[in-house]
Every structure is written in structure tokens, then in C-alpha cells.
Amino acid sequence: MIKFFKKYHKWLGIVITIFILLFAVSGIVLNHRELFSSIDVNRSYLPKEYDYNNWNLAAVNATERVGEDSVLIYGNIGIWLTDQNTSYFQDFNKGFPIGADNRKISKVYKSKSGNIYAGTFFGLFQYDKVGKQWNKIFSPEHNPRIVDIAEKQDTLFVLSRSYLFKTVDGKSFIKNELPQPVRYANKVGLFKTLWVIHSGEIYGSIGKLFVDLMGLIFIFLSLSGLVYFIVPFVLKWKKVKKGPKIKKLKRFNNWSLKWHNKIGWITLVFLILTTFTGMFLRPPLLAFIGGTKVDKIPFSELDTPNPWFDKLRRIIVDEQENTIYLATLDGVYKSDLTFSKKLKKFEIQPPISVMGVNTFKKIDKGSILVSSFEGLFVWNHKMGFVYDAIKQQLHRPDLNKRIPLGDFLVTGYSDDFNIGEVFFDFNIGAGVIGKRLDFCPMPPPIKDQRMSLWNVSLEVHTARMYQFMFGKFYILFIPLSGIIILFILISGFVVWYKLHRKRKSKH
């Protein structure tokens, strides 16, 4: 049995070393988004799947009409000024920090007073019409990402992923913790729990640094194992096994093996936990935990009295009906304009991917347009039906579907162009609803934009980057590599323990 473990610990470790190193390095980058936000990667160095083509890859989230014939189109491409015929595109990003991540826009909103605001991953910006640039005016603590902006009379509503902020003057922002939903059970999704454990966020910055340390240990174990594998070949190649250089190489090899074993067994439990939790954050294993709710872990980041912690995504303020609609990871809720009562969840929900809502827009009385990676739907919450806007038919839910993705992965929508209603799919790009027309081509200044290092790391960490090698089977890479890494960790401990105990018994 020891020979079996020793043999496959070595060979599986050699085969997967490069992937373990990529997992570890990309994981560290993912844990520090703001730190690496100014660093981008030229798309020419990446597989062709990462080239912009027809406004794909979440290039566009939405548009905002800011003049009689002036439209701001925004999303992962930043903000660009155009007209209703898309006859030109003018860069509208002056004032944002450099880096693609700093120019990812969740929402652009023109207020009743004429002010233009932009919600980004790192705070709220206001456009200075005199200086013709964006200035940051607000950044929430903990998670600075602004996901939506709305307005009630003279009050601006700014929605982060956990709280609603209100401001009248654009200077003082008051945090509002929204009421609990009806029948609130004080539980959290198992997916979210495993996510924060895997990243270390469960214990805030200290937890993230601890998981970074686990990443560094994975790197050390991989490299030290590689050293132990290579050195014997070097010695054999050198033939002469004497001399100061050879002795130094042997000492280094022994030192490397000693700490490979010691650090490995000391941190074994944490390395296994990091690997195991990561396996369930991607399909196909994600399907087994997607809808499961669990108790909050005491004394952790999840153990908060805020029932909406990291759940808020979009908001609609309907002053005529005295109603606020709130799109969350748990579904769509409603409240009055003052949030005086517990939020009530609609019985009939539109299809929403676990990735969250991308479009949330009132289109007429009782109807809301909703898009996500499930598709684009007109949801009539009063009549209780859902209409597929792209397929132009009533939506019929597939009760046997396991993967939370629809036929169209809709990242954005606009009805501000003369060509008609345009939707933006993550894979195929722009399409015009109900018409056999093409949206305008992407101009080179937009198409040639670089990809943020954080997003490149995400593609590596989730194994989507390996699709060019494995094709559709890349989806199995995370669970299979997780099983292999678990075997390497456990087999390494078994071999060390047996040999260590044998050495101790001799003494």
C-alpha cells in the first residue's frame, strides 16, 4: 500500500504541478481585487475565446439617455458616448483610475436634476460637466461595489451588495439596513458559505490573508516536490557525486524534503478544506448545493444581523404605486417607499440565475424586464406570468434542469437605439429582438481593450481558461483536479506518517 501511495503521490503531483501553481497564484490575486485593479493583460496573449466579438463577454450592461440624441453605453468596456444611430463612439472614461477593473460599470443614472452618476466596482462617481471627468464621491465600507442607483423625489438611492444608502446633496450618505423579509429563517446559502470559507472572507481580511498563506504553501509544496523529483536526475547526469557543489545540492534537496514534509502535515487539514470547498463552487458539483440553506457560522462574517448581506443586486423605485422592487440573490421582493414593513417575496418569480440579475427595469404597469444568465423575460407580477422576450413566447420552466443557465446568457439590454430593442448575450454578443438585423460593429478602440488581471485570474481559477485544451469537458476539470489534489495531500501524509513512525521505532 505504501508503494502505491508513494508512486502515485509522486507522479500525479508532477502531472498537476503547473495547475496547482496556477490555482494558487490566481487565488491570491482574486483575494485582492482592488490591489491588482490597475493591471491589465493584452487579449492577444489569451485564447481566442477572450477576444471581444459583437459586444460579447459582458461588454455591455445597459445604456442611459443623457440628451436628445446622446446615449451612454456602458458595462465591462467602461462608458462610451454615442447617438441613437451608433454613428460614433467617444471615450467617456476620463477621471476613472487606470485599469479595466476600475472601468467596469454596473449602473449609469441621470437624475431628475440632470446630474450623471456611475456605480462601479470601487464606489460611486459623479460626472463633472465643467471639468468633463468623473469624480469619486462615495465608497461604502467592506464592499465598495455599487450595483444600482435609483431616485425618490429629491433623494438618491445608492445600492451596494449589502446596504441601501440615501443622499440628498451627494455628499452625506446615510446607510439604511433594510427590514427582514417575511418568514426570515436567519439562514444563508451553502454556496455562499463554501465561497467565503474558500476565499477566507469568512473571517474578513485576516481570513483572506490566511488563505493567501495556504496558496503560498501550495506553491512551496509543489516546487519542493519538483526539486525532490529533479535532483536525483541532476546527480545522475553529473555522474560525479562528490565536490562542494554536489554537497550543496544534496543539502538543499534534504532541506527541501524536510520542510515539504513538515509544512505539509502541519497544514494538511487547512489544505484539504481549501481544496474541498473549491470543488463545489463550479458545475457540476455546484448543482448539488445551489438551493441549500444552512445556519450561519457563529462569529464569522456571515453571522450578521443584516439579512441582506451580499444579496442585494437591483432596485426599482415606483413612486406612482408607492412600491420599491428589490432584486436579490433570494428572489424579488417588494416594499413601500419607506420600508416600514418586512419585505414580501413575490410568489411567482422570474427566472434568475445564481449569478444574479443584470437587467431590472419597469416597462409598464405591472411588468418588469428581468435579465440574467437564464435569459431575458417580461415578468408581469400582477397577472402572474413570465414571457420570454427573446424567444417571444410564454416561458415554460424546465423542472428537471440541474444547471442554472438558460439558452441565452443575457448580460445587458437597451431600448435607446433606433434599430430596436437590443440584448447582449455573454457568448454570442448583441442581437436585436424580433428582427433579423445586426447591431453595429465594435469600433477598434473598444474591441481592443485589455482584460483585467483579476478577470484573467478568475478564468484560470475556475478552469474556464482551459476550454481551448479540453473543449466542453473543461467543466469536469475542477472536480477531477480537486479529487487528484486531495489524493496527493492524503497519500503524502500517509507515506510521511508511515516512514516517520518507522524511523521513530528504530530509535
Side-chain angles (χ1 to χ4, degrees):
M1 183 63 77
I2 286 294
K3 289 183 178 179
F4 171 83
F5 280 134
K6 192 172 183 179
K7 177 182 177 180
Y8 287 100
H9 175 81
K10 178 177 75 173
W11 288 110
L12 287 175
I14 294 300
V15 169
I16 205 171
T17 288
I18 183 63
F19 296 109
I20 294 176
L21 292 174
L22 288 171
F23 276 138
V25 173
S26 61
I28 292 172
V29 173
L30 291 176
N31 257 357
H32 303 281
R33 186 165 197 168
E34 192 164 3
L35 179 64
F36 294 99
S37 63
S38 62
I39 304 175
D40 296 334
V41 177
N42 195 313
R43 292 178 188 267
S44 63
Y45 300 136
L46 303 175
K48 290 296 182 183
E49 290 83 358
Y50 294 98
D51 288 346
Y52 275 134
N53 183 26
N54 189 34
W55 306 90
N56 62 343
L57 304 179
V60 176
N61 182 286
T63 57
E64 181 76 355
R65 186 81 66 87
V66 293
E68 187 175 340
D69 192 26
S70 297
V71 178
L72 295 180
I73 184 169
Y74 62 90
N76 283 357
I77 56 172
I79 306 176
W80 294 76
L81 178 66
T82 184
D83 59 16
Q84 291 175 284
N85 291 316
T86 60
S87 60
Y88 71 92
F89 286 90
Q90 179 182 326
D91 192 327
F92 210 75
N93 294 291
K94 184 180 178 183
F96 292 127
I98 61 171
D101 233 18
N102 288 304
R103 300 183 177 193
K104 287 185 176 178
I105 312 300
S106 303
K107 179 72 173 183
V108 172
Y109 181 80
K110 182 181 179 181
S111 69
K112 297 171 185 176
S113 61
N115 293 321
I116 303 174
Y117 300 92
T120 77
F121 279 60
F122 302 110
L124 179 69
F125 286 74
Q126 182 176 349
Y127 188 70
D128 179 2
K129 296 177 182 178
V130 177
K132 295 186 178 181
Q133 68 173 26
W134 295 96
N135 297 317
K136 182 186 282 191
I137 60 172
F138 176 61
S139 181
E141 295 179 1
H142 183 73
N143 187 342
R145 184 172 180 177
I146 303 300
V147 294
D148 209 354
I149 306 169
E151 199 170 9
K152 171 194 163 187
Q153 296 176 349
D154 62 345
T155 302
L156 194 71
F157 283 18
V158 180
L159 193 69
S160 76
R161 284 196 157 197
S162 300
Y163 298 99
L164 176 67
F165 298 88
K166 297 179 182 179
T167 182
V168 176
D169 57 6
K171 298 177 181 178
S172 301
F173 290 82
I174 301 173
K175 182 170 74 174
N176 288 255
E177 190 169 308
L178 302 178
Q180 293 182 357
V182 175
R183 294 188 294 275
Y184 178 56
N186 197 29
K187 290 182 180 291
V188 67
L190 179 57
F191 172 80
K192 180 63 179 179
T193 301
L194 294 181
W195 180 288
V196 295
I197 291 174
H198 185 70
S199 67
E201 290 178 73
I202 190 165
Y203 291 114
S205 298
I206 294 176
K208 289 168 75 171
L209 290 174
F210 182 79
V211 170
D212 290 344
L213 177 61
M214 293 303 105
L216 293 174
I217 289 172
F218 266 120
I219 292 171
F220 174 78
L221 294 177
S222 299
L223 295 179
S224 58
L226 203 59
V227 167
Y228 187 67
F229 174 77
I230 292 174
V231 166
F233 292 99
V234 175
L235 293 175
K236 189 175 181 180
W237 176 62
K238 293 283 187 181
K239 292 184 180 179
V240 181
K241 298 187 179 180
K242 294 181 181 180
K245 289 186 177 179
I246 298 299
K247 288 181 179 179
K248 186 179 290 187
L249 185 61
K250 286 182 176 179
R251 283 198 302 269
F252 175 70
N253 192 37
N254 291 334
W255 177 89
S256 180
L257 178 62
K258 173 186 173 182
W259 286 103
H260 179 91
N261 290 332
K262 182 170 285 190
I263 292 176
W265 76 260
I266 289 174
T267 61
L268 179 66
V269 173
F270 300 108
L271 296 176
I272 289 176
L273 183 63
T274 301
T275 304
F276 184 77
T277 52
M279 291 168 62
F280 284 88
L281 299 181
R282 290 287 297 158
L285 296 183
L286 172 61
F288 295 100
I289 67 167
T292 305
K293 299 284 185 180
V294 296
D295 291 329
K296 296 178 179 179
I297 298 176
F299 309 110
S300 70
E301 284 280 297
L302 297 177
D303 189 20
T304 168
N306 180 10
W308 306 105
F309 178 76
D310 203 33
K311 291 182 179 180
L312 305 178
R313 291 299 181 268
R314 296 287 174 179
I315 186 171
I316 294 173
V317 176
D318 190 334
E319 295 186 74
Q320 292 180 339
E321 296 191 14
N322 190 37
T323 304
I324 288 180
Y325 303 91
L326 204 64
T328 77
L329 285 186
D330 292 336
V332 182
Y333 292 79
K334 68 176 179 179
S335 170
D336 59 33
L337 294 178
T338 61
F339 293 105
S340 60
K341 299 178 182 178
K342 290 184 177 181
L343 272 64
K344 187 176 181 181
K345 188 175 183 179
F346 288 93
E347 292 185 11
I348 297 177
Q349 294 280 322
I352 297 176
S353 165
V354 293
M355 304 296 289
V357 172
N358 295 319
T359 304
F360 196 58
K361 178 178 181 179
K362 181 183 176 183
I363 52 179
D364 59 42
K365 190 173 183 180
S367 294
I368 293 175
L369 190 68
V370 183
S371 84
S372 71
F373 274 22
E374 284 279 4
L376 178 67
F377 304 95
V378 176
W379 171 51
N380 191 304
H381 54 85
K382 292 193 173 182
M383 301 294 292
F385 69 84
V386 177
Y387 181 79
D388 191 315
I390 298 175
K391 296 180 180 179
Q392 297 194 318
Q393 63 185 32
L394 284 175
H395 171 67
R396 296 178 177 84
D398 181 1
L399 301 178
N400 297 318
K401 187 170 72 172
R402 301 290 294 177
I403 299 177
L405 297 175
D407 295 330
F408 295 93
L409 312 184
V410 180
T411 62
Y413 166 87
S414 173
D415 59 359
D416 286 325
F417 299 112
N418 289 334
I419 196 172
E421 294 180 276
V422 183
F423 72 93
F424 299 87
D425 179 276
F426 186 86
N427 294 320
I428 64 176
V432 183
I433 297 176
K435 298 179 182 179
R436 294 184 178 180
L437 297 173
D438 293 328
F439 191 54
C440 68
M442 294 184 79
I446 300 179
K447 187 175 183 179
D448 297 339
Q449 289 189 72
R450 297 186 172 199
M451 190 171 179
S452 72
L453 177 63
W454 190 92
N455 266 104
V456 172
S457 299
L458 180 64
E459 296 301 298
V460 170
H461 205 72
T462 58
R464 286 193 294 261
M465 185 67 75
Y466 309 137
Q467 192 170 358
F468 76 99
M469 289 190 291
F470 305 120
K472 293 181 179 179
F473 293 103
Y474 86 94
I475 199 170
L476 300 175
F477 187 84
I478 293 294
L480 291 178
S481 60
I483 291 170
I484 292 172
I485 293 171
L486 288 175
F487 176 83
I488 292 170
L489 292 170
I490 294 170
S491 61
F493 175 78
V494 171
V495 172
W496 169 82
Y497 182 74
K498 290 287 186 181
L499 296 178
H500 179 71
R501 192 171 65 173
K502 185 183 290 187
R503 284 196 299 267
K504 287 188 72 174
S505 62
K506 286 182 179 180
H507 294 292

